[in-house]
Amino acid sequence: MGQRVPERAGRLGGRVGHAVFWVAIWTLALAGLLYLLLPTLIIVLASFTAGEYITFPPRGLSLRWFARLMALEEVRTSAWRSLIVATAATAVAVVLGVAAAFPLVRSRFAGREALNAFLMSPLILPSLVYGLAGLMFVSAIGVPLSVPVLVLSHVAIIVPYVIRTTAASLALLDPHLEEAARSLGANAWKTFLRVILPNLLPGIATGAAFAFISSFDNLTVSLFLAGPRVETLPIRLFAMINFDLDPAAAAISAVLVLITFAVVLLAHWAVGLTRVVRL
Amino acid sequence: MQTRRLSRREVLVGGTAVALTAAAPGRATAQAKELVANTYGGGWEAGHRAAIAQPLEKRGIKVTLVAMLAAELVARTKAAAGGRPPVDVALVDDGPFLLAIKEGVFQQLPMDRIPNAKRVYAKYRAKEPFGVPIGASQIGIAYNARTLKTRPESWADLWKPEYKGHIGLSTPASTLGTVTLLSFARLKGGNEGNVEPGFDAVKSLLPSVSSIQAVPANLRTLLERGEISIAPMWHHDTTIVKMKGTGVEFVLPKEGGIAGLAWLAITKGANTDLALEYLNQGLEPDSQKLMAGAPSYIGPVIEGVEVAPELRGIVPATPADLERLKTLDWPKINEQRAEWIARWNREIKV
Amino acid sequence: MDRPVESRDQSLSTSAARARQAVWSRQLRLWQLVLPATLFLLVYFVVPLGMLFYFSVRAPGVQGMTLLNFQKLLTDSFFLETLGLSVRLSLEVTAVALVLGFPLAYLYTRLGPAWRLTILFVTLLPLLTSAVVRSFAWIVILGKQGLINAALIGAGVVDTPVKLLFTLDGVRIALAQVQLPFMLLPLINAMERIDPSLEQAAVSLGASQSRAFFKVTVPLSAPGVVAGAILSFALTISAFITPAMVGGGSFTVIPTLIYQSAIVTLDWSTAATTALILLVVALAVVWGGMSLARRFRYGPESA
């Protein structure tokens, strides 16, 4: 490297430097880890408070705010609506995304890279800009805001997840398996159903799970495109927190975190988190 | 062949998905007895739910309450012009109410189909039949008597050194903020036509101000948690905080607090029959009494509603209470409000 | 069924031709599979963005296309101030995320599977959690009775609680945590691709651990740093929820302006123009970052 290698003086300084280096690295890393973890943990724990408003540590433990959630009509309605929207959007996204993954992995054609980038672009475009654009588009063509409109706008921003995980799974699929099936007489459709699909399912499931949670959690796009008549859970939560720091909001948050937790577990069980990171 | 099959399948699955969403309970149908109304969240929502939505639901009308401030509501309604309005029943303050009427956002009301409208105090009734008052409020000064020993008696007292670092203010984006700005203007000799002294006053107060919020509810949160200890505030927000045992008190400054009415109106294109029931229910004596108590503490607008003794003086029970207060020239304010908001954003920084 | 029998017979002349034909028709069929998604995005993604463009070049009272909106905004001092604030905030947040994320990514590559899983879990959970929930958590933590102040007072750093909630400082702290996962994932990706033996080689040649780190690992991880920084910056500058909730309206950033002009004042010309300016700024940074990354791909500058 062209450095003069420090000799004896370096050795002792080296050991101290070594320790300092690792202490610094570990301190920053642990700080980062705590920084990542604590807020989520705190809001979940705070939701179990028995008191009138949110503090951390919570004043006494109780499930009263979760019970209150059940009683709040608006919360139940918006949660159900979010569920419908997320399920429908995920279903459409899976159909579109799984299909799109095949040519992206298996075919060679001019512009494949560009097409891939295009299909992934909703991931990097600010959802704020997309929400605004969507609202302008929808009002220009004279369509009133409704659940289907919201579903379709969510599809646009979640389909990249499905494409990505399906493509990754597909790329890892041994083409010999298909050849073997074909040579044994299976037609294209049967091969797809019996050989390809089962091996793709973990990837598709992971993509679908990420797509679902992204839709369920989404606030920014929904703020523009849902409208007061189509209130989703994040919108209701946003309003609750902005108008009143209600512990019921913490209970809703805890439930949302639980769902997210389940999604991450699913992803790990399906493809392993280390694979997810490489997407 | 593989492609064609998949395409059909795609259409099937995709179509089912979209059909499912169309059948979802979220889609509001014109035929079903459903109504959407906005409230200001927090105490307002709880009060309206208990006093209006629940009685209506017992009669088979489903009411959905959304939290939305008046300005956004009027804007969204205007945007939806021609189509379905975002809400059927609108809750708006004095200023946005007059603005919305001018812009043709609300329907003219058939007063004979709102029997309870007769009960409204004569002084509160609208000049043109575009809405009914639903609650009376006043703006004064909220302060924490435990942390601040001196009770503020006037708007001018805010400049006292004892309050330095404890003050919270609202921007003209809200009625509260607009009223605050004008109160300061009047203090220094200005008025709705000359708000310059108001801006000067705010700037001179800035060193003492701890927080400026666009949403009044945030001021309430800060006050409740002790992040600020004194602020111009609506009486109902103050009462909510006071009733939590925080030691917060409400004071009407000697120059006079500001009176305000909240109005219910019906948007064009709304489900008028159901909406009229909402308005009528809101003016029922039982409903008014409910809203005057916890957790909304909104002053009643019809005759004969008793306000609990410990709340008298804070909750304006009759027009007589409000007579001592000032009212504002809202049409004039409406003309300049956007400009004031823009100017505040540019010049006022804490 | 989709091909007449005659042409099929003709192409059966040689097995090679048959194989070619099969590949071709397969390509064709596969091609069609990507059409639905592409068409969908074209309609529901590209066209709306076109609307954005449309509204930004039209001004009330002016015929045809005009740059009036851009001119109006770009000469408005409040707008420029807000834009400056947004850019500065995003840079600061990205820097913090980088400082905390880099050591974590580095350790990731040097620790065992249990640690790796933990790190990944702790990274993915907030990443997938709703921004509303995460901002709410920060509202709780930043209050005068919140955790940070409790820690500061307990440690004797300050006597009275520091005002963090509904301030720019509070938003900085919250946003850095929101962005950290987005910084971390590309970093981990890049770090994993670095051959660990390179650093070991440097150490065996007499370099200290930290020297090896700074001279070998850091430059080699540059693509990941750039990717993470780009992502972090783009997401922060367009973040609406966290500044709205944790900032409480006490200051304005570009996304706030967009929301206000779109929904509250219904000034769609301004909203669209602001959104486009935001896009341009974000894309400029992305492009700049990618050019930087390309330079790094051809080896670090230092020997």
Side-chain angles (χ1 to χ4, degrees), chain B residues 140-160 162-163 167 229-232 247-255:
Chain B
I141 303 179
Y143 85 109
N144 194 324
R146 279 190 210 145
T147 35
L148 301 175
K149 296 305 168 200
T150 320
R151 181 188 157 96
E153 301 289 351
S154 135
W155 290 115
D157 285 349
L158 285 175
W159 276 259
K160 281 206 165 95
E162 189 197 338
Y163 300 144
I167 303 180
S229 301
I230 179 169
V248 165
E249 298 293 336
F250 183 75
V251 174
L252 283 176
K254 68 172 191 281
E255 295 89 2

Side-chain angles (χ1 to χ4, degrees), chain A:
Chain A
M1 302 244 151
Q3 326 271 19
R4 230 169 286 130
V5 176
E7 291 274 352
R8 193 157 309 158
R11 284 251 183 95
L12 186 60
R15 224 168 262 164
V16 171
H18 189 151
V20 166
F21 173 75
W22 282 109
V23 165
I25 291 279
W26 268 96
T27 314
L28 284 173
L30 282 177
L33 211 58
L34 276 177
Y35 196 32
L36 279 172
L37 183 63
L38 275 186
T40 318
L41 207 60
I42 286 177
I43 200 68
V44 171
L45 290 176
S47 65
F48 290 101
T49 182
E52 275 303 320
Y53 55 87
I54 307 190
T55 51
F56 187 79
R59 290 198 194 118
L61 294 178
S62 143
L63 285 177
R64 65 183 278 210
W65 296 106
F66 290 91
R68 184 156 152 71
L69 280 189
M70 295 294 122
L72 283 175
E73 169 96 41
E74 258 74 16
V75 171
R76 283 203 318 267
T77 318
S78 58
W80 176 247
R81 197 169 288 128
S82 281
L83 185 65
I84 298 280
V85 170
T87 309
T90 305
V92 177
V94 165
V95 168
L96 292 178
V98 171
F102 276 87
L104 288 178
V105 174
R106 290 288 174 78
S107 291
R108 309 226 171 292
F109 52 87
R112 190 181 66 156
E113 281 300 314
L115 190 61
N116 193 28
F118 171 67
L119 291 173
M120 290 294 130
S121 55
L123 283 180
I124 50 171
L125 185 86
S127 43
L128 179 79
V129 174
Y130 178 63
L132 176 65
L135 180 62
M136 293 179 167
F137 172 55
V138 159
S139 85
I141 60 179
V143 172
L145 297 183
S146 61
V147 171
V149 166
L150 190 63
V151 169
L152 291 175
S153 63
H154 277 202
V155 171
I157 56 175
I158 65 178
V159 78
Y161 289 114
V162 179
I163 297 181
R164 208 145 152 195
T165 57
T166 309
S169 264
L170 193 57
L172 291 173
L173 199 61
D174 189 348
H176 291 128
L177 281 174
E178 284 170 75
E179 281 175 27
R182 283 304 212 33
S183 72
L184 287 173
N187 65 21
W189 183 234
K190 249 206 188 107
T191 318
F192 174 73
L193 269 185
R194 298 284 191 81
V195 179
I196 303 181
L197 198 57
N199 281 296
L200 278 188
L201 269 180
I204 300 179
T206 307
F210 285 0
F212 179 86
I213 196 77
S214 300
S215 166
F216 199 83
D217 279 345
N218 184 283
L219 179 69
T220 318
V221 172
S222 304
L223 268 183
F224 285 92
L225 285 162
R229 288 185 190 271
V230 183
E231 201 183 55
T232 60
L233 188 60
I235 296 180
R236 165 74 10 191
L237 187 59
F238 186 60
M240 276 175 83
I241 298 174
N242 275 342
F243 284 105
D244 211 0
L245 278 189
D246 205 331
I252 299 178
S253 305
V255 171
L256 282 177
V257 168
L258 191 69
I259 300 177
T260 311
F261 189 83
V263 167
V264 178
L265 277 182
L266 173 71
H268 181 54
W269 174 77
V271 298
L273 287 188
T274 42
R275 282 251 300 276
V276 168
V277 160
R278 296 206 196 104
L279 287 173

Side-chain angles (χ1 to χ4, degrees), chain B residues 3 10 75 210 213 227 349, chain C residues 29 81 144 163 248 264 266:
Chain B
T3 308
E10 283 172 29
S210 165
Q213 297 299 323
E227 314 248 353
K349 311 244 182 285
Chain C
R29 281 196 293 253
E81 211 179 287
K144 283 198 179 154
K163 188 177 69 140
V264 184
L266 281 190

Side-chain angles (χ1 to χ4, degrees), chain A residues 124-125, chain C residues 230 233-234 276-289:
Chain A
I124 50 171
L125 185 86
Chain C
I230 289 176
F233 182 87
L276 273 183
I277 295 179
L278 176 68
L279 257 188
V280 165
V281 170
L283 282 177
V285 171
V286 169
W287 182 79

